[in-house]
Amino acid sequence: MFVQELEPVADSLGLSALIAALPLVTVLVLLGAVRMKAHRAGLIGLAVAVLVAWLAYGMPLGQTLSSGAQGVLFGLFPIMWIVVNALWVYRMTVRTQHFDILRRSFGRLSDDPRIQALVIAFCFGALLEALAGFGAPVAISAVMLVALGFQPVRAAVVALVANTAPVAFGAMGTPVVTLAQVTGLPLESVASVVGRQTPLLALVVPLVLVGLVDGKRGLRETWLPAVVCGTAFAAAQFVASNYVSAQLADIGAALAGAAALVALPSARKPAAEPVRAAVLTGVRSEDLDTEDPRREVVRAYAPYALIVVVFSLAQIPAVKDLLAGATQVFDWPFLNVADPEGNPVGANEFSLPLIATGGTLVLFAGVLTAGVIGVHARVALREWGATVHELRFAILTVTSVLALAYVMNLSGQAAVIGHFVAAAGAGLAFLSPVLGWFGVAVSGSDTSANALFGALQVTAARQSGLSPELLAAANSSGGVLGKMISPQNLTIACAAVGLAGKEGDLLRKVLPWSLGLLLVMCLIVVAQSTFLLGWMLP
């Protein structure tokens, strides 16, 4: 048995923490300063983590490699299993042109560009985040806005800022699932606290969006639709994450926000011509006037309805128990680790939910989707293979970062850093979201930031007397605000709207919003750690 130590290097907590930080520093420097590709930075960081665990922390090489292998498997299944199948569903709709029909349908909901920004960037973007994540919502929303006549820079900024509130529950809850896995906290507990933080952002972001689209006039004339949309979104996200399922949180929120807008009479009023002339300065897509058959419109919405139905059925207690019966739990080979108190760690066993996982449920919905929208089985298989090829570098990045996280967690590196950071005391509540924000800003992924810093946040919280669930959730909630300034997302946004090379210009426009909303989240977490908002926590 390998027993973790808190002062393995020269019997010094500070020096041990400094050595333990080397893998994280390596990844952050390679991404932020050297601007190396994320998958290469992740692999180099993993190599550094293995060397630190083996040479400095005394973890046997076999156990070190075994812990990294467990991280790789978790990165592949269930994490990337969800992303691949979700993006596969989207690719099939593009191939059959049902995605174009959906885009035209959204354009006909309202001709007011401020409402279009809410429907497409905020609501539909959240639905895309729920299904795929990893940059897809920004690219797709920005392209749709440009097709409606938005100026490219404005479309990119709106898409980036909108991609905040849903991120923590994106890709069928992948970030919070990862957070629960690396911290050892129950998924329900983590999702519940995140679901009492990010909905507060959802109340603000729609107001920011209409302001970005049309300035003070936009706020003055469309504040009511923005508030109604944000409130419906926030309420649904809170209810789903706390009482239904973390995987359904963003789907329910996106649908509730869109439904609230459609039901509001003032949101469907035609926009004044001065507004359209001032905002829609781009080139409008010529196919927007095409009338689509009602049957095809229904088929365009069908994939998303099928996913909602499949996941809802999976939450029925009898069905849930049946699916859970296929979960395989086994001792992980070549791994026998105990924490500093001598208690075996949970990672000594590995749980493999073959059917009761988001990726498999999305796969079921995808098979049904292929039948509904008319994709031949051979074509569907070819699209699935193309999706894996498209995501090959993302798969390598996620698996390497999760392998790094598992090596750091099981060797004791994360625990040592957590004990050292705990010296910040009550200030941790303020700094916790900043750490998540920084992690997402350099990695581009809330999932990766949670894998890197989740265990550290929990250890620091326990040492300082704060709630582990609060700081773990704060890591994810703060992280969502770093996504709009991450190099990957900026590059995706620029490429989508034809502004390649203008990432710096885009960064200057979104950075103030990222920092401003981060400050709001920091204050929320501080208040939740005291009597002011402590009553909000479960």
Side-chain angles (χ1 to χ4, degrees), residues 23-399:
L24 296 177
V25 172
T26 299
V27 172
L28 299 180
V29 169
L30 291 177
L31 284 172
V34 182
R35 298 192 180 279
M36 183 179 288
K37 296 290 186 182
H39 63 279
R40 292 176 182 166
L43 289 171
I44 294 173
L46 171 59
V48 175
V50 168
L51 290 174
V52 170
W54 177 35
L55 300 177
Y57 276 64
M59 190 179 198
L61 183 59
Q63 295 213 47
T64 302
L65 296 177
S66 179
S67 60
Q70 187 176 142
V72 170
L73 179 57
F74 183 71
L76 291 173
F77 191 97
I79 302 304
M80 292 310 298
W81 179 239
I82 298 171
V83 178
V84 166
N85 289 323
L87 202 57
W88 171 57
V89 173
Y90 163 70
R91 285 180 64 100
M92 286 194 293
T93 66
V94 171
R95 184 179 183 89
T96 59
Q97 298 185 333
H98 284 94
F99 181 75
D100 291 330
I101 295 173
L102 191 68
R103 173 172 56 82
R104 289 193 288 269
S105 175
F106 284 158
R108 285 190 286 270
L109 285 176
S110 172
D111 71 345
D112 189 326
R114 299 162 301 189
I115 304 301
Q116 290 172 343
L118 294 177
V119 172
I120 293 172
F122 188 68
C123 296
F124 186 60
L127 186 60
L128 293 171
E129 182 67 38
L131 301 180
F134 292 88
V138 170
I140 296 167
S141 297
V143 167
M144 291 177 78
L145 291 175
V146 169
L148 291 172
F150 276 66
Q151 192 260 350
V153 171
R154 181 176 283 147
V157 170
V158 167
L160 285 166
V161 174
N163 191 220
T164 48
V167 168
F169 295 104
M172 309 312 292
T174 295
V176 290
V177 169
T178 303
L179 187 60
Q181 182 75 13
V182 300
T183 60
L185 298 172
L187 173 60
E188 295 77 13
S189 300
V190 174
S192 178
V193 180
V194 175
R196 295 161 194 247
Q197 293 172 343
T198 54
L200 299 178
L201 284 178
L203 297 174
V204 178
V205 171
L207 290 168
V208 174
L209 294 179
V210 297
L212 285 171
V213 172
D214 196 28
K216 293 180 180 178
R217 178 176 58 189
L219 282 169
R220 186 174 63 251
E221 296 180 358
T222 54
W223 67 267
L224 181 58
V227 168
V228 168
C229 177
T231 301
F233 186 102
Q237 192 181 61
F238 165 74
V239 170
S241 60
N242 278 268
Y243 305 111
V244 183
S245 165
Q247 286 88 348
L248 289 175
D250 278 350
I251 293 177
L255 296 177
L261 275 176
V262 171
L264 191 68
S266 61
R268 300 196 303 274
K269 290 181 179 177
E273 193 53 41
V275 173
R276 291 179 54 79
V279 176
L280 301 180
T281 55
V283 179
R284 186 172 180 270
S285 178
E286 294 180 358
D287 72 346
L288 288 174
D289 296 325
T290 302
E291 285 294 331
D292 298 301
R294 191 178 192 84
R295 179 171 177 270
E296 294 304 313
V297 173
V298 171
R299 292 173 75 190
Y301 282 91
Y304 310 102
L306 286 169
I307 289 174
V308 173
V309 169
V310 168
F311 271 83
S312 298
L313 290 174
Q315 300 308 311
I316 297 173
V319 178
K320 195 172 185 178
D321 293 341
L322 181 64
L323 297 178
T327 299
Q328 301 294 314
V329 180
F330 54 90
D331 292 331
W332 187 258
F334 311 113
L335 194 65
N336 188 11
V337 179
D339 63 22
E341 286 75 40
N343 303 310
V345 299
N348 290 334
E349 288 188 343
F350 191 79
S351 177
L352 196 63
L354 298 175
I355 301 178
T357 186
T360 304
L361 296 178
V362 174
L363 179 65
F364 288 158
V367 171
L368 295 174
T369 293
V372 170
I373 64 177
V375 179
H376 191 276
R378 185 169 55 254
V379 175
L381 283 172
R382 192 160 56 241
E383 286 295 328
W384 195 91
T387 303
V388 173
H389 183 265
E390 179 183 340
L391 291 172
R392 63 193 184 282
F393 293 122
I395 292 171
L396 190 55
T397 299
V398 169
T399 52

